[in-house]
Amino acid sequence: MSGSDRPDQGESEGEGEGDTVRDAVERSRSGAPAVGAVVRDRFSSDEVFQRIVAVADEEITSGSRELFFSGLAAGFAITITFLLYASLYATTDGNAVLSSLLYPLGFIYIIIGGYQLYTENTLPPVALTIERLASVPALLRHWTIVLTGNFTGGAIGAAVLAWGGVFDEPTSDAAISIATHGVETSWWSLFSKAAFAGLIVAGVVWVVYAARDTISRLVVVYLAFLAIPLGNLFHVVVSFTEMLYLVFNGRLSIVVGTTEFILPILLGNTIGGIVLVTLVNYYQTSEHRLESARFEGASRRLSVREWLFGSLFGRSYVPLIDTAETGPTPDDSYRVMVPIANPRTESRLVDLACTLASRHDSAVVHVVHIVQTPTRRAGSGPGSDLSQRNRIIDESEDLLTDVRETIDGYGVDCETSTIVSHRSFEEIFDAAERTHADLVVMSWGENQLWGAARAERPVDELTSQLPCDFLILEDRELDTSRILLPTAGGPDSDLSAEVSRTLQSTAGSELSLLHIVDDPSRRERGEQFLTEWAADHDLEDATITVDDSGDVERAITREADDHTLVVIGASERGLLSRLVSGSLHFDIVNEVDCSVLLAERPTERTLFERLFGRR
């Protein structure tokens, strides 16, 4: 508790401890408030906003696959709404009230189940974007994936209803009648009615996060969504399912249905949700709404350029906690950034970074402790509550104490910081950009920064221009005494040569160079290439070996038996991007017994070349 919350000295010790335990238990594990500050079963607008921001963090940083299939499930659940609405419409002779009674069931399934519905996403991600904690491109990406999933699920449901024999003839006629009524409504009337529906859905989201129990949420969701058919309003995913039902029955052109029916509803739902609910609720909150939802509150935001253009100009998202100084002024120092997941187990990685940095007259080693929170709020993880936040930072600082002592022993400047985020791997690139790193040294293999990487984000980052040089270490009791450097030339081999030369001069490493040619007739040319390459990189004293088998992987594996470290350059094959995306079929790392260091240097390769290599 803060000082103002502590019990007076006169209070019994048991009572004070009981309050503390109760507060700890009742605090949600995401860090957002679980009880109201003044009235325990009621939240202020600031507290509701904090709860929404906590959820929005998880949603907007979710992977494309997670979002799409969650959206698909929601879209298919809408089929339940259409099915029950048409069934009751047929059995009650079109009675407006009776036919609507089970309309909300699909929405209840979606909201209580935590699936992604587009119209719900006019509140949480937009709240994060308004605060400039997420960029506009990140919001649009989120919307696009969710809406695509919703429409895909709705299309599957419409196909099942149209061709699966689910409806009998009276129910099919009722479904066609319902859908035809919507299509025949004028464009502006559709837009206006959809705006009110968007208001209702976004309002439901706000009220759901203001409620503490499932029964309250069920009642709110049921009554709110019952108002849509009773008010003759339109919801875009339900309408999309109805429209496709007409298309599958040959009664409507999909182009006409999309432009004259779905488009105005989509616009109306979006504007109604954003303008009539999100903005109004945002401006009723106080200036302190983010103090317990984000480290340093509202002072840590995206720049205007980052907010508008996302990763094209830097970050696209502000992590929950980031203790690094923002925007250090570039100087002549050589900056090495070392992202780590566990300061206790990655000491050799720090030693390697310090060794490489120590060869420069002025060098800084910046160790970034990256703590990834779980991706679903049903899980546990570090939160953004003030006391939790400070505890996370203090614990991280304690863990980094030994790291700082190690760096000081190498005579280089030291910086440490802590980042807590729903992302992990992606934060490495943002931090490298912001701190003007010259080199990033990080672990691979069992390291959770790699294991938690979502494919679409790393590929997006890695197929654009790398922010700096990258070294990826597969650490197997790192020993730099005997280094094998396979090379075919290229900028990434240049980086491998620089690293090997540094280790050779600082640790007295023995260095062997390896070049592979296709057949024995090219051996002499290969020896000439390797000799010249060694001279160009000040490695004349290295042992030179040319393998004429043409089998790169087997040749490296054979030579690695007599070495303690293999340093491999990407050789313009997009090694790092394919490594992270899981599409790299390169078995050397797994076949050799020694440590492996993968090197990649920024180049002007095109997107195609970085993904598939140069032809």
Side-chain angles (χ1 to χ4, degrees):
M1 293 186 296
S2 64
S4 61
D5 294 329
R6 295 184 185 277
D8 295 334
Q9 294 295 325
E11 293 180 343
S12 69
E13 183 177 350
E15 182 182 351
E17 290 177 354
D19 288 343
T20 302
V21 171
R22 181 176 64 176
D23 287 343
V25 170
E26 291 181 336
R27 193 76 185 176
S28 75
R29 300 184 77 179
S30 68
V35 294
V38 180
V39 181
R40 301 190 72 82
D41 63 349
R42 182 175 179 179
F43 296 105
S44 69
S45 58
D46 282 3
E47 290 169 333
V48 175
F49 187 83
Q50 290 163 14
R51 287 163 66 88
I52 290 173
V53 165
V55 172
D57 269 314
E58 299 174 6
E59 292 180 349
I60 209 162
T61 56
S62 295
S64 295
R65 184 179 62 181
E66 301 167 46
L67 285 175
F68 175 79
F69 281 100
S70 181
L72 186 147
F76 191 78
I78 288 298
T79 307
I80 300 172
T81 285
F82 182 41
L83 183 154
L84 294 176
Y85 189 32
S87 298
L88 286 180
Y89 192 90
T91 57
T92 61
D93 295 325
N95 185 284
V97 176
L98 295 178
S99 61
S100 303
L101 290 179
L102 294 181
Y103 183 94
L105 186 59
F107 294 96
I108 291 174
Y109 180 82
I110 291 166
I111 292 179
I112 301 302
Y115 298 111
Q116 293 288 329
L117 188 65
Y118 172 77
T119 45
E120 287 183 40
N121 283 280
T122 56
L123 181 54
V126 173
L128 209 63
T129 305
I130 291 173
E131 284 287 3
R132 283 179 26 208
L133 300 176
S135 67
V136 173
L139 172 66
L140 295 178
R141 164 194 171 270
H142 182 86
W143 276 356
T144 300
I145 296 171
V146 171
L147 191 60
T148 301
N150 289 167
F151 283 175
T152 302
I156 295 171
V160 172
L161 294 180
W163 299 322
V166 178
F167 287 158
D168 55 22
E169 187 173 347
T171 305
S172 178
D173 292 340
I176 291 172
S177 175
I178 292 170
T180 302
H181 165 71
V183 172
E184 292 175 348
T185 306
S186 66
W187 206 97
W188 283 109
S189 181
L190 286 171
F191 174 84
S192 302
K193 290 174 179 289
F196 277 100
L199 182 155
I200 289 173
V201 178
V204 165
V205 176
W206 181 273
V207 175
V208 162
Y209 287 108
R212 292 191 58 204
D213 61 274
T214 302
I215 298 300
S216 299
R217 295 188 181 102
L218 281 171
V219 172
V220 168
V221 172
Y222 179 81
L223 292 177
F225 284 102
L226 184 62
I228 292 179
L230 292 179
N232 194 24
L233 307 179
F234 294 92
H235 183 278
V236 64
V237 184
V238 179
S239 297
F240 182 81
T241 305
E242 295 172 353
M243 182 268 291
L244 282 186
Y245 186 79
L246 290 181
V247 172
F248 294 152
N249 279 279
R251 295 174 178 267
L252 181 69
S253 162
I254 191 169
V255 175
V256 173
T258 300
T259 56
E260 297 184 11
F261 183 49
I262 300 303
L263 182 59
I265 296 174
L266 175 62
L267 294 175
N269 284 169
T270 303
I271 293 174
I274 293 176
V275 176
L276 299 179
V277 176
T278 305
L279 292 179
V280 170
N281 283 325
Y282 173 80
Y283 284 110
Q284 72 160 328
T285 58
S286 73
E287 293 299 319
H288 305 290
R289 58 186 166 265
L290 282 181
E291 284 188 356
S292 66
R294 266 302 194 284
F295 176 66
E296 293 184 357
S299 62
R300 292 174 57 248
R301 284 175 165 163
L302 299 174
S303 68
V304 174
R305 289 206 309 172
E306 288 175 326
W307 183 64
L308 290 175
F309 301 105
S311 56
L312 291 176
F313 289 93
R315 301 171 297 167
S316 61
Y317 168 76
V318 176
L320 302 175
I321 295 176
D322 186 354
T323 63
E325 294 290 336
T326 57
T329 303
D331 52 25
D332 294 332
S333 296
Y334 184 77
R335 298 187 62 87
V336 181
M337 192 183 89
V338 189
I340 58 177
N342 189 341
R344 288 195 180 99
T345 61
E346 298 181 71
S347 58
R348 286 189 293 270
L349 187 71
V350 177
D351 286 329
L352 175 62
C354 291
T355 300
L356 299 175
S358 64
R359 290 292 294 168
H360 297 264
D361 294 333
S362 177
V364 177
V365 174
H366 178 198
V367 178
V368 184
H369 182 200
I370 297 181
V371 182
Q372 188 194 26
T373 65
T375 58
R376 299 302 304 166
R377 59 182 178 273
S380 61
S384 51
D385 163 58
L386 183 62
S387 60
Q388 276 189 307
R389 184 191 71 202
N390 292 335
R391 184 166 60 251
I392 292 167
I393 295 172
D394 290 342
E395 289 176 357
S396 179
E397 286 297 309
D398 289 341
L399 290 172
L400 291 170
T401 300
D402 292 341
V403 171
R404 285 189 287 269
E405 292 176 356
T406 297
I407 296 174
D408 290 340
Y410 283 86
V412 296
D413 292 335
C414 171
E415 293 179 5
T416 60
S417 60
T418 302
I419 294 177
V420 177
S421 174
H422 293 283
R423 312 180 306 168
S424 57
F425 189 84
E426 297 91 329
E427 297 298 346
I428 296 169
F429 292 89
D430 290 344
E433 288 274 11
R434 289 186 291 112
T435 59
H436 308 284
D438 296 291
L439 173 67
V440 170
V441 182
M442 62 181 294
S443 291
W444 180 52
E446 298 302 321
N447 187 294
Q448 58 184 290
L449 298 182
W450 284 94
R454 301 185 181 104
E456 75 285 344
R457 278 292 297 174
V459 168
D460 176 64
E461 296 284 1
L462 292 167
T463 53
S464 61
Q465 184 69 38
L466 287 178
C468 60
D469 294 339
F470 268 72
L471 294 178
I472 314 296
L473 176 65
E474 172 61 271
D475 184 9
R476 300 186 178 101
E477 301 296 328
L478 179 63
D479 178 359
T480 60
S481 59
R482 299 188 307 280
I483 301 174
L484 174 66
L485 196 169
T487 180
D492 300 307
S493 289
D494 293 345
L495 176 58
S496 300
E498 292 176 17
V499 171
S500 301
R501 187 168 59 246
T502 297
L503 294 176
Q504 189 181 40
S505 61
T506 57
S509 305
E510 298 177 8
L511 178 62
S512 299
L513 304 180
L514 174 65
H515 182 64
I516 296 97
V517 295
D518 293 337
D519 55 66
S521 65
R522 298 188 177 184
R523 171 179 286 275
E524 184 176 349
R525 183 180 301 176
E527 291 175 348
Q528 180 182 356
F529 160 78
L530 200 52
T531 300
E532 294 175 354
W533 189 87
D536 291 340
H537 294 83
D538 297 327
L539 299 174
E540 295 95 331
D541 55 346
T543 301
I544 291 177
T545 301
V546 175
D547 186 286
D548 57 18
S549 67
D551 190 329
V552 175
E553 294 185 14
R554 288 186 180 275
I556 295 176
T557 302
R558 264 194 313 269
E559 292 295 325
D561 288 340
D562 297 325
H563 295 81
T564 60
L565 174 66
V566 178
V567 182
I568 305 175
S571 302
E572 302 185 358
R573 296 178 58 189
L575 177 65
L576 189 54
S577 61
R578 291 184 289 148
L579 178 70
V580 177
S581 67
S583 62
L584 176 66
H585 302 292
F586 200 58
D587 295 329
I588 295 172
V589 175
N590 297 322
E591 291 184 0
V592 302
D593 296 325
C594 61
S595 298
V596 180
L597 190 63
L598 307 175
E600 186 159 9
R601 168 158 283 173
T603 66
E604 296 300 327
R605 287 189 296 236
T606 65
L607 174 67
F608 182 88
E609 289 170 339
R610 288 191 59 81
L611 281 173
F612 304 106
R614 288 179 177 168
R615 299 294 181 182

